[in-house]
Amino acid sequence: ILGPFVASAEPATEAALIRVDFGTGMLHWSSQAAEPAIARVRAALQALSAKAHDPGLDGRTIARGHLVLALAYRAQNDRAAAAAAIDQMLTFARAWAARDGSAEARYWVAIAHEEGAQQARALAGDPDLALRSQTLARDLLRALSAEVPTNAAYRRELFYSSFVAGALAGGGPNDGLWSPTTGDLAAAEVAYREAMALADQVAARDPNDVRARAEAAATRVAVGWVVLQRDSAAALTLLEPALAELAALPEDLRVANSAHDEWFARCATAVARARAGQREQALVELTGAKAFVARYFPDGVETLQCQVFEAEVQAALGQTDAAAALLDQLVSALMVKAMTGLGLQQS
């Protein structure tokens, strides 16, 4: 439709054409189509940089374009291109913030730092660098949430940022279990507790919002897991009510999302019970956890992750030989999985 206007020098038309490229790239990325997303967003950014005048595009559209570019390159494991994209996003967002000092501009600076953290974690395996970037984002978002307390997006992003900071500092549910961390459990607990407080506030506003209840329970599981590393009895006071809340959620929500938190809660509770000397309850909880994982994740990595917890239960109950044998089996299974993923065969 806009083809006949491509050569137009009329500012409104130029802006519309650039906006179409941005929008089309974002649509491609919404379908996880990295290549066409990159092509269209790059075309938009190149057209924008070639203009001698400001075509009047809003900062949010441009910032989102930079973010899509960074996400798409990260999906392709292109570390250099992803890093360059996020540097460009930071440069743009900081210049925007310097011009008008707006809350939205500072919000996009925070988003850029968050993506920088994800790149450092996923592409570089550097939890220290990732946590530094995440902390910058979290500090900005905390200030924005205090400055504009009615903005739900800022509070939502602060919740997410705090949860990720907890995972980077001390590990935790889902991908946090086997991801590199800084090993700072105290910092992890502080971050997870901030996320829990924010989630509890949202859940308290509407007791019928089951998704908010699920998130509040999930953050309680994360706090409980960190506390478990120092105090099993205290961990149970967090894990037990969280598990009860997760188990009471509607089945469709469990299938779509919360099952990832529930299996972790079940396994962590089994470990906590074993360490607290509750042998029979620990074994019953472990059996239920294994059945849950087999039901919801029959072919998932959760089956292997659950074995780590099973070994911890065995060790806590004095069955150290059985725990060591189980971990040896787990290492062998992971080697096979890794080599298969790389297209290699074991000799």
Side-chain angles (χ1 to χ4, degrees), residues 81-331:
I86 208 61
D87 283 346
Q88 291 166 8
M89 180 180 177
L90 266 173
T91 298
F92 169 78
R94 283 169 171 163
W96 177 15
R99 281 196 308 274
D100 64 16
S102 66
E104 183 164 17
R106 286 176 283 146
Y107 170 77
W108 283 102
V109 173
I111 297 299
H113 282 307
E114 286 188 318
E115 173 55 19
Q118 290 303 308
Q119 288 185 14
R121 180 189 199 185
L123 300 183
D126 187 338
D128 293 285
L129 176 59
L131 187 55
R132 286 197 295 273
S133 294
Q134 195 68 46
T135 299
L136 289 170
R138 191 169 155 218
D139 289 346
L140 281 168
L141 291 164
R142 190 183 296 111
L144 285 170
S145 295
E147 181 181 328
V148 194
T150 57
N151 191 304
Y154 297 165
R155 293 196 307 276
R156 173 71 184 171
E157 202 65 33
L158 176 59
F159 160 77
Y160 167 80
S161 192
S162 297
F163 195 93
V164 172
L168 288 168
N174 302 317
D175 65 336
L177 184 62
W178 284 350
S179 295
T181 75
T182 64
D184 189 341
L185 291 174
E189 184 173 344
V190 169
Y192 277 141
R193 284 190 182 278
E194 181 173 22
M196 183 173 71
L198 290 163
D200 283 345
Q201 290 170 13
V202 174
R205 279 197 290 271
D206 184 1
N208 295 318
D209 186 340
V210 292
R211 291 187 182 278
R213 283 166 41 204
E215 284 193 343
T219 55
R220 207 166 301 281
V221 171
V223 177
W225 185 84
V226 174
V227 172
L228 175 58
Q229 311 314 309
R230 61 175 171 78
D231 187 335
S232 55
L236 283 171
T237 65
L238 292 155
L239 292 168
E240 287 177 336
L243 181 53
E245 182 72 59
L246 290 167
L249 292 172
E251 181 66 10
D252 59 342
L253 182 58
R254 294 169 86 185
V255 171
N257 193 359
S258 66
H260 290 279
D261 300 303
E262 188 173 340
W263 84 261
F264 192 98
R266 288 175 178 272
C267 287
T269 301
V271 174
R273 290 194 184 285
R275 291 182 183 175
Q278 302 174 11
R279 178 186 179 86
E280 296 306 318
Q281 298 99 315
L283 293 174
V284 169
E285 196 72 67
L286 179 61
T287 298
K290 291 168 69 175
F292 185 90
V293 169
R295 175 184 176 187
Y296 287 93
F297 310 101
D299 302 312
V301 72
E302 292 84 359
T303 300
L304 300 177
Q305 291 178 323
C306 191
Q307 290 179 21
V308 176
F309 288 101
E310 183 176 1
E312 289 193 50
V313 169
Q314 291 174 337
L317 296 179
Q319 301 168 356
T320 53
D321 289 343
L326 183 58
L327 290 175
D328 285 341
Q329 294 173 18
L330 175 59
V331 170

